[in-house]
Amino acid sequence: MFLWLKLPEGIDTREIFKTALAHNVAYVIGHPFHCDESGSNTMRLNFSFPTLEQIEAGIKRLAGLTIKFIKAKKLFYENCWGRSQRGHLF
């Protein structure tokens, strides 16, 4: 089972990858799945092997890393309610 994740524009999932691995979280960088040179802000997550506890822990670690990365880059994006946010995913 896979989940496709799209992060705010301006984030390159290749930049976060090594840090994620250092925190025992792995994902597939999304860019190679796009034929038009886009998708640098996407990733594919795999949930077919880990336990529910491992999935929850991994998602929390990945979310924390992503939030730090967004704050460091000072990126703006719209949340699900349409309000502009800076560094807040939820």
Side-chain angles (χ1 to χ4, degrees), residues 41-52:
N41 62 323
T42 63
M43 65 175 70
R44 188 178 82 167
L45 305 174
N46 180 343
F47 295 101
S48 58
F49 181 72
T51 65
L52 291 176

Side-chain angles (χ1 to χ4, degrees), residues 3-58:
L3 177 66
W4 193 255
L5 182 62
K6 182 177 180 184
L7 299 174
E9 294 292 331
I11 292 184
D12 189 335
T13 57
R14 292 173 287 200
E15 293 179 35
I16 307 171
F17 188 71
K18 287 184 181 180
T19 304
L21 286 178
H23 287 85
N24 295 318
V25 178
Y27 57 84
V28 178
I29 296 166
H31 175 73
F33 292 94
H34 295 262
C35 60
D36 62 356
E37 296 300 316
S38 68
S40 62
N41 62 323
T42 63
M43 65 175 70
R44 188 178 82 167
L45 305 174
N46 180 343
F47 295 101
S48 58
F49 181 72
T51 65
L52 291 176
E53 293 79 16
Q54 290 171 321
I55 292 169
E56 184 176 343

Side-chain angles (χ1 to χ4, degrees), residues 49-85:
F49 181 72
T51 65
L52 291 176
E53 293 79 16
Q54 290 171 321
I55 292 169
E56 184 176 343
I59 291 297
K60 285 180 181 179
R61 286 193 302 267
L62 184 59
L65 295 169
T66 304
I67 289 167
K68 285 180 184 178
F69 195 79
I70 288 171
K71 286 181 178 180
K73 290 230 172 206
K74 298 179 180 166
L75 294 174
F76 288 90
Y77 59 93
E78 289 190 13
N79 66 16
C80 59
W81 294 280
R83 295 185 298 242
S84 291
Q85 300 289 311

